[in-house]
């Protein structure tokens, strides 16, 4: 079904479907007719094309056709075209028959799981009549075809069957036109319209809108919005259909022009409003389109975004007679003006419900807050709700379940638990506190649309002001699409994944203009660099006098925030290397680095500074490698630090520095060097398996510590143990845990894997909830959980056994397996830059080789890289390529590459 829909949108593919159709004797008539008049009213979409050779020529010259050729449906098309050629009198005559004529194709939903097409083909000359007659004779002679005829309302209908594939098409002739379809019922519907006196065209309102007369336009596309929900219901699950139906009620129909460019498919035109009572159009009473301002706060990991731009955004609420009238909620709803946004964030699994966020712009912030807090106080009564700040933004838990739906309608259901973030003049609603924190992190890190080159390029090709906009990033939304696609169509979705992900930026927009909605639809492929696909290109090499003993640690330039690295050599000197390969500063620290290098904004100018630990010291330096005041912190000479962990509980700049040693002792200090009570030391009697993790659950701060003997501790800010801890996993571990933050300690779940492959899920009450086993082929097989190197939001499981490495996704499904020369443990890294921009790095320490793999397990670049340490990889979003920093002996290299798409 989905394959046919893609086929249809391109137009050329739809025409090629004629490979299966039989033709009959021509019943000539000289009378000219309007083919639009006999299109049934049940048509969801109608396409009119008139220059098919030009369309084919354009597709052949562009990357669009190369992308289409990879689809299984296109490979079938080429086979079917060869079949048509085999029975055609002449390929040249076949091409001429289709060219330079207005051909209509209508799309109809004919059943719960059925989509069918009707094709309307003019026959313009005696030569074309003769061509069809010869083609019909060839079909009659071919034993693979069978032909039968019958009468319906005085019209001769002919059915042709292609027996090897059991394909049937019915056709009839009508005033020098051939009408054919795989559905006999649709053909009969056309016959009934054709026998009417002066039937009205389904597109009568757009009679003057003939875009085919304009340059570079390849089709007129008519949309029947009243039938679009039924069309989408073929592909989507029932639980999302109420939202689809309401959104579709903005317009009743539209006529758009189809344009094709190198990396873009666009449709533009006008749509007529839906006048029915209760429609989205009638509720909105849209007058003037509004600008899309939320780009300053919308994270780049957004998968789907619905944007409403009207003066009174409360009007989009569906009128529900059974709903309770609440004057306080109505007053609150009326304080929101101009902008309302519902965003779905990228998910890492089809089983995971995507995070939803609502942005509502306040016309009077203080009035909005007064009404919100008054409403919350009444609802909370004696119960205590969370209030706090994070990153300088106030967060308030609201005790009014489903408040967004009560304010704005059923489109905004799904917020039984609710948190409010005061994001300047926006009221941001989330259902999880962790989602609110992550969004603030994105805003502070400038990982938002307004700072993204990719989004800026898309916004340059879309409407700057609109009443309704739908934006989809198909790569970010891939798991969401899988989650809400019907089971019948999921296979088709997977087969079309390459094409869908290539044209990953989709926008659908409506802007009110003089009684109509100007309509813009864009399918855009992200620009890519000119670099040869999947090859390695060395941008620079930096030689050193001493052997390099550390990985290239990722850091930002203190001044311009460009991406650079810091490395350490065997003389225990740190070197900062810029993105251009220049030395900027060095710092001799007299010992090996322990853990990684952190960067924090410190000092009166709040500039980024470098923090790191050595054997028994904590260091902080500026961008010249000079120590900050009060640093280094000199700890006991006997201490053997393993790593430095930094906590900023509320992102307020009040940092706590935590170090752990090889005996399992924890020491914590504030940024001025004062020892924190309860941590001098906090002894856990065994070495840590991974970095301690800070979790915020409601009003509680939890520091989770995993010991390599399998014991788990949950500590508060004073080092005190939470009830239920410590407990033992009954098996050693070598990695940390991933958390799914819930409303409280009981509903917060953590997942880890033991060395022997047991996946254990537990909560913050110290209770084991589930135990699952990954396949373990032998006792030599050892497992670890590897979190992504950027922000630890996703993870994979890795098994190593005698030179064999197997990677499993977080659903415990095997992704790929590789075998290596040596049996020594490998250094495995996982880089997830969003969507399909995923890279696995596996380093063999003996041969000093690093292998890079994509999501399919394909070796990137076709060869390994010389590398003695883990690597650092950056993603260049604007050019959609990657930069890798690696060390080998006395040399640091920056290598650029692209992923094969």
């Amino acid at each position: 079904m989905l394959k046919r829909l893609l086929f249809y949108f391109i137009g050329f593919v739809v025409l090629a479907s004629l490979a299966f159709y039989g033709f009959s004797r021509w019943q000539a008539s000289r009378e000219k007719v309007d083919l639009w008049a006999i299109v049934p009213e049940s048509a969801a979409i109608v396409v009119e094309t008139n220059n098919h050779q030009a369309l084919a020529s354009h597709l052949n010259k562009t990357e669009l056709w190369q992308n289409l050729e990879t689809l299984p449906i296109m490979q079938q098309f080429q086979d079917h075209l060869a079949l048509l050629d085999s029975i055609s009198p002449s390929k040249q005559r076949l091409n001429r028959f289709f060219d330079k004529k207005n051909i209509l194709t209508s799309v109809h939903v004919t059943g719960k799981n059925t989509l069918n097409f009707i094709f309307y083909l003019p026959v313009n000359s005696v030569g074309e009549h003769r061509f069809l007659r010869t083609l019909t004779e060839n079909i009659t002679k071919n034993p693979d075809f069978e032909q039968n005829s019958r009468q319906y309302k005085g019209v001769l209908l002919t059915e042709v069957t292609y027996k090897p594939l059991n394909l049937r098409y019915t056709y009839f002739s009508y005033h020098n036109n051939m009408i054919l379809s795989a559905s006999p019922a649709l053909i009969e519907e056309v016959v009934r319209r054709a026998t009417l006196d002066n039937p009205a065209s389904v597109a009568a309102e757009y009679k003057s809108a003939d875009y085919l007369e304009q340059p570079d336009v390849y089709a007129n596309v008519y949309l029947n919005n009243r039938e679009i929900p039924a069309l989408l219901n073929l592909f989507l699950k029932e639980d999302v259909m109420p939202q689809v139906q309401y959104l579709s009620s903005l317009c009743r129909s539209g006529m758009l022009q189809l344009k094709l460019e190198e990396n873009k498919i666009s449709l533009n035109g006008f749509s007529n409003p839906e006048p029915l009572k209760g429609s989205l159009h009638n509720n909105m009473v849209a007058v003037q389109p509004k600008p899309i301002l939320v780009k300053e706060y919308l994270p780049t990991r957004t998968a789907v975004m619905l944007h409403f731009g009207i003066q009174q955004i409360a009007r989009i609420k569906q009128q529900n007679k059974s709903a309770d009238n609440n004057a306080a909620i109505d007053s609150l709803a009326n304080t929101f003006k101009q902008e309302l946004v519902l965003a779905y964030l990228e998910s890492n699994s089809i089983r995971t419900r995507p995070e939803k966020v609502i942005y509502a712009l306040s016309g009077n912030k203080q009035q909005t807050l007064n009404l919100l807090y008054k409403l919350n106080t009444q609802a909370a009564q004696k119960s205590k709700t969370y209030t706090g700040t994070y990153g300088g933004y106030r967060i308030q838990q609201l005790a009014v379940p489903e408040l967004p739906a009560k304010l704005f309608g059923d489109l905004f259901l799904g917020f039984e638990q609710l948190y409010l973030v005061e994001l300047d003049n926006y009221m941001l609603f989330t259902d999880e506190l962790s989602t609110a924190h992550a969004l603030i992190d994105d805003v502070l890190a400038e990982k938002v649309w307004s700072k993204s080159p990719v989004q800026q390029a898309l916004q340059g090709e879309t409407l700057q002001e609109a009443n309704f906009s739908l934006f989809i990033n198909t790569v970010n939304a891939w798991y969401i699409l899988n989650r809400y696609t019907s089971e019948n169509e999921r296979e088709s979705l997977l087969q079309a994944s390459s094409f869908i992900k290539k044209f990953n930026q989709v926008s659908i927009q409506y802007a009110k203009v003089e009684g109509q909605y100007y309509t813009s639809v864009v399918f855009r492929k992200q620009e890519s660099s000119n670099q040869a696909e999947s090859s390695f290109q060395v941008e620079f090499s930096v030689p050193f006098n001493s052997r390099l003993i550390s990985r290239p640690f990722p850091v930002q330039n203190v001044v311009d925030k460009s991406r650079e690295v810091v490395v350490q050599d065997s003389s225990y000197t740190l070197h900062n290397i810029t993105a251009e390969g220049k030395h900027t500063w060095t710092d001799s620290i007299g010992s090996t680095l322990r853990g990684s290098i952190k960067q924090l904004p410190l000092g009166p100018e709040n500039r980024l500074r470098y923090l790191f630990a050595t054997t028994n010291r904590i260091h902080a330096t500026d961008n010249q490698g000079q120590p900050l005041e009060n640093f280094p912190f000199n700890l006991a000479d006997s201490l053997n630090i393993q790593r430095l962990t930094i906590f900023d509980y509320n992102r307020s700049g009040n940092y706590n520095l935590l170090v752990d040693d090889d005996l399992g002792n924890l020491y914590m200090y504030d940024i001025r060097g004062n020892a924190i009570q309860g941590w001098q030391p906090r002894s856990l009697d065994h070495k840590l398996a991974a970095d301690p993790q800070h979790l915020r659950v409601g009003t509680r701060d939890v520091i989770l510590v995993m010991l390599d003997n399998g014991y788990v501790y949950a500590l508060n800010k004073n080092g005190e143990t939470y009830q239920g801890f410590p407990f033992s996993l009954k098996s050693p571990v070598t990695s940390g845990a991933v958390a799914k933050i819930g409303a409280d300690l009981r509903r917060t779940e953590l997942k880890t894997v033991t060395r022997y492959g047991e996946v254990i899920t537990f909560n913050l009450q110290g209770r084991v909830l589930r135990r699952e086993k990954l396949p373990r082929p032998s006792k030599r097989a050892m497992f670890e959980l590897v979190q992504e190197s950027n922000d630890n939001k996703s993870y994979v499981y890795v098994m190593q056994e005698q030179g064999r490495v197997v990677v499993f996704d977080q659903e415990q499904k095997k992704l790929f397996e590789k075998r290596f020369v040596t049996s020594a443990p490998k250094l495995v890294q996982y880089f997830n830059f969003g969507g399909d921009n995923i890279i696995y790095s596996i380093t063999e320490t003996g041969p000093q080789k690093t292998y890079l793999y994509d999501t399919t397990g394909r070796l990137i670049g076709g060869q390994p890289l010389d590398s003695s340490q883990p690597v650092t990889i950056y993603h260049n979003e604007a050019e959609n390529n990657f930069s890798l920093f690696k060390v080998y002996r006395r040399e640091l290299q920056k290598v650029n590459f692209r992923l094969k798409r």
Side-chain angles (χ1 to χ4, degrees):
M1 204 76 66
L2 183 59
K3 294 183 293 187
R4 289 183 180 176
L5 186 59
L6 290 171
F7 218 16
Y8 164 75
F9 271 119
I10 304 307
F12 173 64
V13 182
V14 170
L15 297 173
S17 297
L18 293 169
F20 297 116
Y21 305 158
F23 300 94
S24 72
R25 299 182 182 90
W26 182 251
Q27 298 177 343
S29 171
R30 296 295 180 183
E31 182 183 352
K32 293 292 183 180
V33 297
D34 179 10
L35 288 177
W36 282 93
I38 61 173
V39 175
E41 293 180 353
S42 64
I45 307 174
V46 185
V47 172
E48 181 181 27
T49 52
N50 71 347
N51 194 340
H52 312 107
Q53 290 288 6
L55 175 58
S57 176
H58 176 87
L59 289 173
N60 276 312
K61 292 178 182 177
T62 66
E63 192 175 351
L64 176 59
W65 178 249
Q66 298 170 10
N67 293 322
L68 280 171
E69 279 189 313
T70 64
L71 292 174
I73 189 65
M74 293 308 300
Q75 296 166 9
Q76 295 176 21
F77 154 66
Q78 292 175 347
D79 294 339
H80 301 159
L81 191 60
L83 172 64
L84 184 57
D85 285 342
S86 69
I87 59 174
S88 172
S90 164
K91 183 175 181 179
Q92 288 74 24
R93 289 177 64 185
L94 178 65
N95 291 337
R96 288 198 301 269
F97 176 79
F98 289 126
D99 200 28
K100 302 295 184 184
K101 63 175 61 177
N102 285 47
I103 297 178
L104 296 186
T105 306
S106 59
V107 185
H108 305 256
V109 178
T110 54
K112 187 175 180 180
N113 299 305
T114 310
L115 186 70
N116 270 301
F117 301 85
I118 307 175
F119 302 91
Y120 311 76
L121 298 157
V123 182
N124 297 328
S125 66
V126 174
E128 289 184 0
H129 291 189
R130 188 181 302 113
F131 168 78
L132 287 176
R133 184 172 60 251
T134 305
L135 186 63
T136 302
E137 292 171 354
N138 290 347
I139 289 174
T140 304
K141 296 175 184 177
N142 193 318
D144 287 336
F145 289 89
E146 181 180 307
Q147 183 170 294
N148 296 292
S149 299
R150 64 185 173 92
Q151 289 282 335
Y152 180 76
K153 290 188 177 295
V155 177
L156 180 67
L157 304 184
T158 303
E159 183 180 86
V160 177
T161 302
Y162 181 60
K163 292 185 287 186
L165 296 177
N166 195 30
L167 291 168
R168 292 182 174 84
Y169 276 85
T170 302
Y171 70 88
F172 73 98
S173 59
Y174 177 72
H175 297 292
N176 270 350
N177 298 278
M178 179 181 294
I179 319 298
L180 62 158
S181 174
S183 169
L186 285 179
I187 288 294
E188 292 176 1
E189 193 173 346
V190 175
V191 171
R192 290 195 295 271
R193 286 190 63 85
T195 56
L196 295 174
D197 293 332
N198 301 317
S201 166
V202 294
E205 297 173 297
Y206 308 98
K207 189 173 183 180
S208 60
D210 186 4
Y211 302 116
L212 291 173
E213 297 178 356
Q214 300 178 12
D216 302 322
V217 173
Y218 292 99
N220 291 321
V221 179
Y222 169 78
L223 299 177
N224 181 355
N225 288 54
R226 292 175 177 175
E227 293 293 328
I228 292 299
L231 178 65
L232 294 177
N233 197 24
L234 297 174
F235 311 101
L236 300 177
K237 292 183 177 179
E238 287 291 340
D239 51 354
V240 298
M241 289 313 300
Q243 295 92 320
V244 171
Q245 290 166 353
Y246 186 59
L247 293 174
S248 298
S249 70
L250 179 64
C251 297
R252 68 175 183 272
S253 64
M255 182 67 80
L256 312 178
Q257 60 179 4
L258 172 68
K259 288 189 174 183
L260 303 176
E261 299 177 28
E262 182 70 26
N263 288 317
K264 186 174 70 173
I265 305 168
S266 62
L267 297 99
N268 298 283
F270 288 89
S271 299
N272 285 328
E274 176 58 85
L276 297 177
K277 183 179 180 180
S279 69
L280 176 59
H281 163 72
N282 271 345
N283 287 350
M284 286 200 326
V285 194
V287 179
Q288 183 178 354
K290 303 299 180 184
I292 302 175
L293 304 176
V294 77
K295 294 177 287 187
E296 300 286 337
Y297 308 98
L298 201 66
T300 54
R301 57 193 177 95
T302 299
V304 180
M305 190 266 273
L306 284 76
H307 181 280
F308 298 90
I310 55 175
Q311 184 59 30
Q312 293 287 341
I313 58 179
R315 288 184 177 276
I316 72 165
K317 181 178 179 180
Q318 303 98 308
Q319 300 302 316
N320 190 341
K321 294 181 180 179
S322 62
D324 295 332
N325 292 323
N326 189 315
I329 287 179
D330 291 343
S331 297
L332 175 60
N334 289 328
T335 67
F336 296 105
K337 311 287 184 182
Q338 297 193 54
E339 228 179 346
L340 178 65
V341 173
L342 174 61
Y344 294 79
L345 304 183
E346 181 181 16
S347 174
N348 294 310
S349 167
I350 188 175
R351 297 182 185 177
T352 304
R353 182 174 61 88
E355 296 175 281
K356 293 195 297 185
V357 187
I358 296 171
Y359 298 79
L361 183 61
S362 171
N364 185 324
K365 182 178 179 180
Q366 194 55 54
Q367 182 186 12
T368 300
L369 291 175
N370 289 341
L371 290 170
L372 265 169
Y373 293 143
K374 181 179 179 181
L375 191 66
N376 192 51
T377 301
Q378 293 172 350
Q381 294 180 350
K382 296 181 180 180
S383 61
K384 187 177 180 180
T385 56
Y386 169 79
T387 301
T389 59
Y390 185 81
Y393 294 99
R394 177 182 168 87
I395 303 176
Q396 172 69 56
Q397 185 179 6
L398 300 178
V400 187
E402 299 292 3
L403 177 61
K406 294 174 182 177
L407 291 170
F408 310 120
D410 289 350
L411 282 173
F412 300 86
L413 282 168
F415 291 83
E416 293 182 7
Q417 180 178 276
L418 190 61
Y419 291 89
L420 167 72
V421 181
E422 299 172 25
L423 202 61
D424 297 334
N425 287 326
Y426 286 94
M427 300 296 111
L428 188 151
F429 299 98
T430 72
D431 62 348
E432 297 284 356
L433 184 59
S434 58
T435 302
H437 287 172
L439 284 166
I440 293 172
D441 288 339
D442 288 334
V443 171
L444 295 177
E446 297 186 341
K447 295 180 180 180
V448 292
W449 277 24
S450 61
K451 302 295 182 180
S452 165
V454 172
Q455 287 299 330
Q456 290 173 356
L458 173 65
Q459 296 301 315
E461 299 180 2
T462 58
L463 303 182
Q464 300 305 300
E465 296 182 345
N467 297 111
F468 173 70
S469 300
L470 170 64
F471 291 91
I472 303 175
N473 183 312
T474 59
V475 177
N476 289 357
W478 183 245
Y479 286 112
I480 299 177
L481 293 173
N482 275 270
R483 181 180 177 88
Y484 293 111
T485 297
S486 65
E487 293 295 333
N488 295 334
E489 293 304 318
R490 188 162 295 142
E491 181 181 353
S492 298
L493 180 74
L494 295 173
Q495 290 178 352
S497 62
S498 177
F499 178 82
I500 293 172
K501 290 180 179 180
K502 274 190 168 73
F503 286 84
N504 65 310
Q505 295 176 313
V506 180
S507 69
I508 303 173
Q509 295 180 282
Y510 295 86
K512 190 74 175 295
V513 179
E514 295 181 355
Q516 288 184 304
Y517 286 96
Y518 180 76
T519 306
S520 170
V521 182
V522 175
F523 300 85
R524 184 178 181 273
K525 179 182 178 183
Q526 183 178 330
E527 297 293 337
S528 58
S529 67
N530 295 322
Q531 181 180 327
E533 190 168 64
S534 199
S535 64
F536 293 131
Q537 293 185 350
V538 177
E539 183 170 331
F540 61 73
S541 296
V542 180
F544 292 83
N545 296 325
S546 302
R547 181 174 56 88
L548 298 174
I549 61 171
S550 79
R551 63 167 293 187
F553 293 103
V555 294
Q556 283 186 328
N557 184 279
V558 172
V559 178
D560 62 15
K561 295 186 179 181
S562 60
R563 297 157 173 173
E564 48 192 39
V565 294
V566 173
V567 293
Q568 186 180 34
D569 65 21
S570 58
S571 69
Y572 305 132
T573 300
L574 296 181
H575 304 265
N576 178 232
I577 308 298
T578 69
E580 292 77 32
K582 297 179 180 178
H583 257 103
T584 56
W585 58 263
T586 59
D587 182 15
S588 181
I589 57 177
S591 179
T592 58
L593 275 170
R594 298 301 177 92
S596 60
I597 295 178
K598 319 286 186 182
Q599 278 186 294
L600 300 174
L602 292 173
E605 297 179 352
N606 211 35
R607 283 196 171 187
L608 287 175
R609 303 305 186 198
Y610 306 91
L611 283 90
F612 51 90
T614 53
T615 306
N616 58 2
R617 290 182 174 182
I618 301 175
H619 301 257
T621 65
D622 62 16
N623 62 330
Q624 300 300 318
Q626 298 301 309
L628 301 185
E629 185 179 0
N630 298 325
F631 284 91
F633 296 171
N634 299 304
L635 310 184
D637 291 341
S638 60
L639 205 61
N640 186 15
I641 293 175
Q642 298 301 296
R643 60 181 65 78
L644 167 67
T645 306
I646 301 176
F647 296 136
D648 182 1
Y649 298 118
N650 299 309
R651 283 209 67 158
S652 59
N654 186 21
Y655 303 109
N656 284 356
L657 313 182
L658 176 69
V659 294
D660 62 279
D661 66 12
D662 59 346
L663 301 176
N665 295 311
L666 305 178
Y667 300 82
M668 187 181 290
Y669 306 88
D670 66 19
I671 200 65
R672 292 170 293 279
N674 298 313
I676 304 297
Q677 186 177 358
W679 300 89
Q680 297 306 313
R682 177 62 170 92
S683 180
L684 302 181
D685 300 325
H686 217 279
K687 187 177 178 181
L688 274 64
D691 293 357
Q693 299 168 248
H694 170 246
L695 308 173
R696 170 63 66 82
V697 183
T699 60
R700 303 187 186 205
D701 291 290
V702 180
I703 298 172
L704 183 75
V705 182
M706 308 281 292
L707 305 186
D708 63 4
N709 66 353
Y711 272 82
V712 181
Y713 282 80
L715 310 173
N716 64 19
K717 291 192 290 186
N718 298 320
E720 298 166 343
T721 306
Y722 278 100
Q723 186 175 352
F725 292 88
F727 76 92
S728 176
L729 298 173
K730 311 300 183 184
S731 184
V733 294
T734 58
S735 46
V738 291
K740 181 181 178 182
I741 305 297
D744 51 32
L745 298 181
R746 181 179 64 84
R747 285 177 281 188
T748 295
E749 296 187 1
L750 298 106
K751 187 171 289 188
T752 190
V753 64
T754 69
R755 289 193 65 192
Y756 305 139
E758 190 173 25
V759 177
I760 299 177
T761 304
F762 61 95
N763 66 13
L764 285 181
Q765 288 183 336
R767 296 179 181 176
V768 173
L769 306 177
R770 290 182 296 278
R771 291 181 179 268
E772 305 164 276
K773 289 187 177 181
L774 289 164
R776 190 184 185 206
S778 73
K779 291 184 177 180
R780 294 188 298 269
M782 298 298 167
F783 293 79
E784 63 178 325
L785 184 149
V786 179
Q787 294 177 271
E788 61 175 297
S789 298
N790 299 317
D791 49 22
N792 296 333
K793 289 179 180 176
S794 65
Y795 60 94
V796 293
Y797 302 106
V798 175
M799 185 201 78
Q800 298 194 42
E801 179 204 28
Q802 296 290 300
R804 177 182 172 211
V805 176
V806 183
V807 179
F808 301 87
D809 67 14
Q810 57 193 51
E811 306 296 339
Q812 303 173 35
K813 295 179 181 178
K814 181 178 174 180
L815 294 175
F816 62 87
E817 174 183 337
K818 300 295 173 183
R819 293 186 178 272
F820 298 90
V821 175
T822 68
S823 297
K826 313 296 183 291
L827 304 175
V828 181
Q829 296 171 270
Y830 167 46
F831 298 89
N832 188 336
F833 300 99
D836 272 357
N837 294 312
I838 294 175
I839 299 170
Y840 302 93
S841 170
I842 302 177
T843 300
E844 282 204 282
T845 54
Q848 300 189 33
K849 299 287 185 182
T850 293
Y851 299 77
L852 303 181
Y853 299 98
D854 63 14
T855 53
T856 66
R858 186 187 61 86
L859 181 64
I860 299 170
Q863 60 182 355
L865 296 164
D866 292 328
S867 175
S868 56
Q869 296 283 343
V871 299
T872 288
I873 300 178
Y874 292 119
H875 179 220
N876 184 333
E877 185 186 18
E879 297 186 1
N880 200 22
N881 64 1
F882 302 86
S883 295
L884 175 145
F885 289 86
K886 67 182 186 70
V887 299
Y888 182 66
R889 297 176 180 171
R890 298 183 178 182
E891 186 177 57
L892 167 74
Q893 278 192 344
K894 180 181 180 181
V895 179
N896 297 328
F897 65 94
R898 287 180 58 201
L899 292 181
K900 186 176 182 180
R901 304 295 182 181

